[in-house]
Amino acid sequence: MKLIGFFNRDGGTFRTTDMSAYQNRAEITFAEAGHDFEAVVFSGSEIVPAMERAARRDDIDGIVAGGGDGTISAAASIAWKNGVALGVVPAGTMNLFARSLRVPLDIWEALDVLAFGEVDHVDIASANGRPFIHQYSAGLHARMVRYRNSYSYRSRLGKIQASTRAAFGVVLNPPEFDVEFEAAGIRERRKVSAVSVSNNPFGENALLYADSLTGGELGFYTAKPLKPLGVARLAIDLLRGKVRENADLMIMHPAEVHLHFPKLHPKANCVMDGELLPLERDVALTLHPGELKVLVKQGLAAKLDERERREPVS
């Protein structure tokens, strides 16, 4: 394959990595696997435009993106829109998409897996046409991200500390709002503290990422109006990886979800793949089964249980 690697030197692990050595190692590793590969190191502000330009070329089979979840989300969107393959080097704080793809979290080991791997097809989702690989959310999560962004941090540890501080703030001041939804033939209006729609249902893990990205269905979660104690219980269940056991959650697995926020505050926010955005009054969320080409470990696709590759639900 003809591939170009884009490494965000401002992303997490790369900040403390010898990027010249890593770039050289990447080019050698992919060349040994038989690929035509070139690696380029960019700053965070430069990398997305560079990936967009490369993906539009007619002689490119794929891009390999290294950075945090924001970089990987942008790369996935670009790869999907241009029909090229995506390789993920997890250099961020959470590396949620890489975990779902079972890519090693060690950035050096990831090179070997991707270079000698294979192309698989996984699901990707969109909200009003904007693609996301992890989740769309409003309410608790959006408030936590807004709180976190108001704090200053410059490192992975600093981001974790800011997130912890923001989480405590949300526990003490949970939101409450109205949402109308239509999913799997059900139409309903509810008062909630949180709405979340994920690209495939979350697995039983504390970080809330999908165990499989080939299930052909969204994860749709709403939380009842919560008081501080209820938010604390939900947080504990999240940390235990037992969110499905929380009595305050409604969980569905549709292929599409339509949301309407009848009392939308002008400054209300949502979060898509970790990015804080203005909340739109009407949101159509859709799964696109098998439309994203990704590099995974050789033989991984064949090992996946066929039950994980279901047809989308109606």
Side-chain angles (χ1 to χ4, degrees), residues 103-116:
V103 175
L105 299 185
D106 181 277
I107 59 173
W108 302 89
E109 185 180 349
L111 292 177
D112 291 310
V113 167
L114 297 176
F116 293 92

Side-chain angles (χ1 to χ4, degrees), residues 59-81:
D59 62 335
I60 294 297
D61 298 307
I63 57 177
V64 176
D69 287 327
T71 298
I72 302 306
S73 177
S77 174
I78 293 166
W80 177 57
K81 290 177 180 178

Side-chain angles (χ1 to χ4, degrees), residues 290-306:
E291 291 191 11
L292 178 62
K293 294 188 287 187
V294 291
L295 294 175
V296 297
K297 184 177 182 179
Q298 184 70 34
L300 178 63
K303 292 179 181 179
L304 287 175
D305 188 336
E306 286 302 318

Side-chain angles (χ1 to χ4, degrees), residues 6 8 20 23 26 33 36 64 75 87 101 109 144 146 148 151 180 183 189 204 206 213 218 258 273 289 304 306 310:
F6 299 87
N8 182 357
S20 295
Q23 179 182 2
D36 180 350
V64 176
L101 294 176
E109 185 180 349
M144 190 190 79
R146 181 164 59 85
R148 185 193 68 195
Y151 307 137
E180 297 174 4
R189 177 167 176 161
E204 293 188 1
L213 293 173
L218 299 168
H258 295 268
D273 286 348
L304 287 175
E306 286 302 318
R310 299 182 299 274

Side-chain angles (χ1 to χ4, degrees), residues 79-268:
W80 177 57
K81 290 177 180 178
N82 291 277
V84 299
L86 171 66
V88 176
V89 176
T93 304
M94 299 300 182
N95 303 308
L96 300 171
F97 193 57
R99 292 174 189 270
S100 292
L101 294 176
R102 298 172 174 83
V103 175
L105 299 185
D106 181 277
I107 59 173
W108 302 89
E109 185 180 349
L111 292 177
D112 291 310
V113 167
L114 297 176
F116 293 92
E118 62 186 9
V119 175
D120 194 12
H121 292 75
V122 300
D123 305 340
I124 187 169
S126 65
N128 286 350
R130 177 171 177 154
F132 63 94
I133 52 175
H134 180 51
Q135 75 166 330
Y136 168 98
S137 60
L140 288 172
H141 186 206
R143 180 165 291 187
M144 190 190 79
V145 172
R146 181 164 59 85
Y147 285 173
R148 185 193 68 195
N149 290 353
S150 68
Y151 307 137
S152 298
Y153 56 87
R154 295 185 177 182
S155 65
R156 175 183 297 187
L157 178 60
K159 184 176 182 179
I160 293 173
Q161 291 173 335
S163 297
T164 302
R165 183 180 173 188
F168 277 111
V170 172
V171 168
L172 298 176
N173 185 29
E176 185 175 313
F177 56 98
D178 291 311
V179 62
E180 297 174 4
F181 70 84
E182 182 176 354
I186 298 173
R187 300 185 66 176
E188 192 171 320
R189 177 167 176 161
R190 289 187 172 210
K191 190 173 290 292
V192 298
S193 282
V195 172
S196 179
V197 181
S198 60
N199 174 21
N200 281 264
F202 295 135
E204 293 188 1
N205 56 75
L207 295 180
L208 291 183
Y209 61 88
D211 290 335
S212 168
L213 293 173
T214 58
E217 57 190 13
L218 299 168
F220 176 38
Y221 307 84
T222 62
K224 297 177 182 178
L226 299 174
K227 300 300 182 183
L229 183 58
V231 180
R233 281 197 299 263
L234 177 59
I236 292 171
D237 286 339
L238 292 176
L239 293 173
R240 294 170 57 233
K242 301 295 183 181
V243 66
R244 293 177 178 275
E245 298 178 8
N246 189 279
D248 292 324
L249 283 185
M250 180 202 74
I251 303 175
M252 299 174 65
H253 296 161
E256 294 185 2
V257 177
H258 295 268
L259 302 176
H260 174 71
F261 299 96
K263 300 177 181 179
L264 185 66
H265 190 278
K267 295 184 179 180

